Amino acid sequence: MVQLLAPHGTRTPHEQLDAVLEESGLAAPERLRGYYRDMVMIRAADLEATSLQRQGQLGLWASALGQEAAQIGAGHASRTQDYLVPTYREHGVAWARGIEPWRLLELFRGISHGGWDPNALRTHPYMIVLGSQAPHAVGYAMGLQRDGVVGTGDAETDTAVLALFGDGASSEGEVAESFTFAASFQAPVVFYTQNNQWAISVPTQVQSRVPLAQRSRGWGIPSVRVDGNDVLAVLGAVRTALDSARGGNGPVFVEAMTYRMAAHTTSDDASRYRPAAEEEEWAAKDPILRLRRHLEQLGEIDEQFTSRCDEEAHDLAMQLHHHIHGMEDPDPVRMFDHPYAEPHPIVDAERAQYLEYVAQFEDEDTEETTR
Amino acid sequence: MSTSSTLPIAKAITAGLRDAMAADDRVLLMGEDIATLGGVFRVTDGLLAEFGAQRVVDTPLAEAGIVGTAVGLAVRGYRPVVEIQFDGFVFPAYNQITTQVAKMHNRTSGAVNLPMVIRIPHGGGIGAVEHHSESPEALFAHTAGLRILAPATAQDAYWMTRQAIESEDPVIMLEPKRRYWVKGDVDPDRRPALSPWQAQVVRPGTDATLLAWGPSMPLALESAQAAEADGLDLEVIDARSLSPVDVPTIADSVRRTGRLLIVHEAPVLGGLGGEIAARISEECFYHLEAPVLRVGGYHLPYPPARMEHAYLPDLDRVLDGVDRLLEH
Ligand SMILES: Cc1ncc(C[n+]2csc(CCOP(=O)(O)OP(=O)(O)O)c2C)c(N)n1
């Protein structure tokens, strides 16, 4: 497992990844402080979302607590032109892509199935049916090949796709088929699994007898396993993989070892299947604390900076609160707006029927009030 | 053996599974999160401790694999009962279900039976995110070779579980997930006289017939009660089996009442209600006082939670349907 930062924050040299980080500037001190801030922000947003769910403001929340380094690292390793294909727990990746956290809440509150424009933000919508997004990622990458934006040697325009899915989802047939397509066509795609050890109640060992990172090799897809609680290792590995894919060398698979600190979602009770000792063991590997210790060792962080991050995080949580209360329930007639891109006579008829039906009650209401 | 008691629907299914497993050691359960966790709805809770990991199996996360391996187990003489976590996640297994499960008996000219059960929590109204509230019954009813049961009460939940497992044909059990915790009487000692493949008149009436199933049953009954206040006497039928649909029982009723309103959550366009309406129109043409009407979902993807109340049939929409039926 590739690790650049030990849990107590000391840096282990790594010839290849250090070179990539050095060259890309991804490990410059101000960048490191930025990742720290990002992780603190996204954790605060996550905790706030959990409490909003408890208050009945969200139907559900899937917490990414503990996976901040795996997500902020992967998000920042990609370049603006890259296309990202997430699952439903990629709040840190979304943050790194510039998607405000309240947009994520639309789905969890139940006012929309999406929340952002995938084309504008180069980020696919969150996906609920596990694994089904993996072939989309490969197809998008095949499109990039056709558009001639792969392997030209121009780092500013060469493009790749980052496909994200969990350790559990990696068992789905569609992921296997994605490997097949990506390998056959040497598509510029990086498969990125956050192995957070559990798929609801089922541990990774039930999904795979071998480390997941070995799996893709049967398809001829090179792979690497990194410490997912180490933001530098994630940055280095994902950037390397993306650069390789962008350069026309075909797909790469990256497995980031991390941990889902909270329950699967707010509807799950992790105590039914997960030993508390395991949770404690992983708490000691906290990704935010690790980066902070590293920055302290470098002398690149001070009390003033960390407390400013905390304040900003608090403000972000307040903003979420604010946005939630501003999110009105949509007029249900809006459900007829987008089933098709072109007019559809049955949808039109059903919309008219719906409006007519609703109007009956409005007439009753006005009759009652005028009476 | 369980004894007569009041149980929530979820627990009635648990009891059905337990009793079937105790009665026949070829019965085994497979699915995501069903063992240690007891299923996300806790339907299999406690069964791992009772029957062990060979018979209550936490599978890898792969629906095509779950259903496909169940086919192999059934060919080998086992009676697998698989759980699909939510209705919207049955589609990765759709290929296995429609091309394999449904056709193996026919393909082998009857030499191979597939006595397997696919349990699917069914329907909406629980405020969930996308893919957790689907009503795919018409897709499966359209596929010959499958049987579909849709219990609406705890008693049916218990007995249909047992009867589905006993069936030599593959059975899809659509479980009304938003009613999992609604209690009802269950008598596990007395096998019901009514076959699981028959519909049941649950409320006799004379002015019109309301037909529903599974999650829509309470709404149908509630509507009949509300209509009674307006001096209308509605007959209510629980379809219970969706493949085969018990057309004779429904036709009998319609011959008496002259009117039929079908209520289901699935989109009306291409829904099972349309098939039933066509058959009743054929069989009861001279008895019908009005066209058969349907109240159901729109031709839309199931909407986000905060709009689902407008998508799902509710009391007003059913009564509106009844009004339209009686206008004729
Ligand atoms: C096709 C499909 N089957 C089942 C589910 C229900 N489900 C949602 S999340 C989950 C576990 C996913 O685990 P993993 O892929 O490891 O991702 P994690 O939630 O741990 O991030 C399951 C079984 C689903 N969403 N889609």
Side-chain angles (χ1 to χ4, degrees):
Chain A
M1 184 173 76
V2 176
Q3 187 186 65
L4 300 187
L5 294 181
H8 44 272
T10 33
R11 175 92 181 252
T12 324
H14 187 288
E15 207 176 321
Q16 192 205 346
L17 294 192
D18 283 349
V20 170
L21 292 171
E22 176 69 24
E23 190 200 344
S24 61
L26 284 171
E30 70 275 13
R31 299 296 288 261
L32 296 184
R33 277 193 297 271
Y35 309 140
Y36 175 83
R37 174 179 172 274
D38 283 350
M39 291 200 268
V40 169
M41 297 288 271
I42 200 68
R43 180 169 289 187
D46 201 305
L47 291 169
E48 183 61 23
T50 300
S51 96
L52 287 170
Q53 196 282 333
R54 301 285 180 236
Q55 295 160 32
Q57 296 292 338
L58 299 178
L60 184 82
W61 179 246
S63 167
L65 225 61
Q67 299 181 218
E68 292 87 355
Q71 300 196 349
I72 294 297
H76 285 301
S78 59
R79 295 178 190 258
T80 328
Q81 70 267 29
D82 293 337
Y83 191 70
L84 268 60
V85 181
T87 312
Y88 48 76
R89 200 194 290 286
E90 258 75 72
H91 319 318
V93 177
W95 173 263
R97 294 302 277 185
I99 299 173
E100 298 99 338
W102 44 92
R103 292 183 188 270
L104 310 177
L105 298 192
E106 286 190 21
L107 183 150
F108 292 98
R109 184 173 169 84
I111 63 173
S112 97
H113 288 320
W116 61 88
D117 176 351
N119 289 323
L121 292 161
R122 291 190 190 79
T123 307
H124 214 50
Y126 268 7
M127 286 284 158
I128 305 287
V129 180
L130 293 163
S132 53
Q133 78 279 18
H136 310 172
V138 179
Y140 194 102
M142 290 163 67
L144 295 173
Q145 290 175 312
R146 281 159 179 72
D147 292 345
V149 287
V150 183
T152 69
D154 182 346
E156 297 310 313
T157 54
D158 277 351
T159 309
V161 180
L162 185 67
L164 300 102
F165 47 83
D167 46 299
S170 72
S171 292
E172 292 283 358
E174 277 151 327
V175 171
E177 295 188 21
S178 302
F179 287 169
T180 304
F181 274 69
S184 292
F185 299 113
Q186 287 295 289
V189 58
V190 172
F191 299 107
Y192 181 65
T193 289
Q194 289 163 74
N195 181 349
N196 64 10
Q197 314 301 321
W198 293 90
I200 308 190
S201 70
V202 178
T204 310
Q205 300 88 274
V206 176
Q207 316 291 343
S208 182
R209 293 284 290 183
V210 297
L212 289 175
Q214 284 179 23
R215 270 203 180 166
S216 68
R217 293 185 198 159
W219 273 266
I221 299 174
S223 65
V224 59
R225 176 183 252 192
V226 299
D227 184 336
N229 285 13
D230 167 354
V231 73
L232 280 184
V234 173
L235 275 159
V238 176
R239 173 55 72 94
T240 308
L242 283 167
D243 280 349
S244 167
R246 262 188 227 107
N249 303 313
V252 183
F253 180 78
V254 179
E255 178 189 16
M257 298 296 280
T258 180
Y259 198 72
R260 188 194 83 209
M261 290 301 298
H264 172 69
T265 63
T266 43
S267 332
D268 172 45
D269 171 10
S271 71
R272 285 181 74 106
Y273 53 82
R274 200 163 71 173
E278 185 185 288
E279 291 171 17
E280 280 161 30
E281 186 192 318
W282 277 90
K285 302 181 194 164
D286 189 286
I288 300 183
L289 199 58
R290 184 178 310 195
L291 182 58
R292 182 176 176 149
R293 285 180 179 147
H294 177 61
L295 282 164
E296 280 165 4
Q297 286 168 23
L298 295 179
E300 291 287 355
I301 200 168
D302 56 23
E303 180 65 31
Q304 204 193 342
F305 179 78
T306 56
S307 47
R308 200 171 66 236
C309 288
D310 292 343
E311 275 162 38
E312 278 185 273
H314 176 77
D315 289 350
L316 178 66
M318 291 297 95
Q319 255 177 304
L320 278 193
H321 218 94
H322 177 75
H323 273 92
I324 272 286
H325 290 287
M327 279 181 189
E328 284 177 24
D329 282 0
D331 181 341
V333 75
R334 270 187 38 201
M335 67 189 170
F336 294 96
D337 288 353
H338 300 296
Y340 296 93
E342 291 180 23
H344 186 292
I346 289 186
V347 173
D348 291 346
E350 288 190 347
R351 180 200 279 118
Q353 196 187 320
Y354 172 80
L355 288 172
E356 207 177 300
Y357 168 75
V358 174
Q360 295 174 26
F361 299 102
E362 279 160 9
D363 292 349
E364 277 173 26
D365 288 351
T366 43
E367 269 169 40
E368 270 167 34
T369 44
T370 48
R371 232 181 267 148
Chain B
M1 189 78 183
S2 325
T3 51
S4 182
S5 53
T6 304
L7 288 177
I9 286 178
K11 293 295 156 202
I13 299 168
T14 316
L17 294 170
R18 175 184 295 114
D19 290 348
M21 292 178 85
D24 182 348
D25 58 20
R26 294 169 304 164
V27 177
L28 62 95
L29 314 184
M30 304 201 299
E32 293 159 10
D33 299 293
I34 67 159
T36 316
L37 187 66
V40 289
F41 291 107
R42 308 288 184 261
V43 171
T44 51
D45 203 10
L47 299 177
L48 172 67
E50 226 167 302
F51 297 101
Q54 283 295 308
R55 295 187 66 198
V56 183
V57 184
D58 264 341
T59 63
L61 217 171
E63 290 76 10
I66 293 169
V67 172
T69 54
V71 169
L73 279 155
V75 171
R76 179 66 197 171
Y78 286 89
R79 301 183 90 85
V81 181
V82 308
E83 175 175 302
I84 298 293
Q85 203 159 71
F86 276 90
D87 30 34
F89 309 145
V90 70
F91 299 110
Y94 190 68
N95 172 48
Q96 281 293 332
I97 295 174
T98 56
T99 69
Q100 305 305 317
V101 175
K103 296 179 171 63
M104 195 64 82
H105 181 79
N106 186 61
R107 177 184 298 138
T108 59
S109 305
V112 173
N113 291 351
L114 282 189
M116 57 183 278
V117 179
I118 303 173
R119 299 180 33 240
I120 309 177
H122 175 227
I126 60 162
V129 295
E130 212 183 352
H131 311 297
H132 289 70
S133 307
E134 310 279 309
S135 296
E137 59 261 40
L139 295 174
F140 296 117
H142 190 60
T143 305
L146 303 172
R147 293 175 182 271
I148 307 174
L149 292 174
T153 64
Q155 168 78 352
D156 270 354
Y158 174 84
W159 276 108
M160 284 184 175
T161 301
R162 304 249 6 217
Q163 290 160 325
I165 293 171
E166 285 163 10
S167 172
E168 285 300 322
D169 283 319
V171 179
I172 293 182
M173 270 249 302
L174 298 175
E175 304 175 355
K177 71 165 89 81
R178 83 168 117 148
R179 298 188 21 92
Y180 267 144
W181 306 110
V182 176
K183 290 185 175 173
D185 292 333
V186 178
D187 184 352
D189 299 322
R190 200 147 32 93
R191 191 169 279 269
L194 193 69
S195 144
W197 316 110
Q198 278 179 295
Q200 186 168 22
V201 177
V202 290
R203 184 190 200 277
T206 52
D207 293 333
T209 303
L210 274 186
L211 174 72
W213 53 81
S216 299
M217 272 315 295
L219 174 61
L221 285 166
E222 195 192 336
S223 306
Q225 241 160 37
E228 194 178 272
D230 291 340
L232 280 179
D233 185 18
L234 300 184
E235 179 145 311
V236 179
I237 299 184
D238 179 354
R240 299 176 76 244
S241 170
L242 305 183
S243 182
V245 172
D246 179 6
V247 176
T249 298
I250 303 164
D252 266 2
S253 168
V254 173
R255 282 190 205 100
R256 282 183 278 106
T257 64
R259 293 181 164 87
L260 176 63
L261 178 72
I262 304 168
V263 181
H264 60 55
E265 288 188 9
V268 163
L269 181 73
L272 199 52
E275 173 63 27
I276 298 170
R279 283 180 186 265
I280 294 301
S281 305
E282 271 173 40
E283 292 216 5
C284 306
F285 187 68
Y286 293 106
H287 293 90
L288 282 170
E289 316 262 352
V292 178
L293 296 186
R294 292 162 290 163
V295 172
Y298 300 104
H299 184 60
L300 302 174
Y302 196 88
R306 301 237 170 190
M307 293 190 246
E308 68 180 339
H309 62 278
Y311 174 90
L312 289 170
D314 62 6
L315 185 65
D316 286 327
R317 273 177 65 199
V318 176
L319 292 177
D320 181 68
V322 172
D323 285 349
R324 282 185 287 131
L325 197 62
L326 284 151
E327 267 166 23
H328 291 275

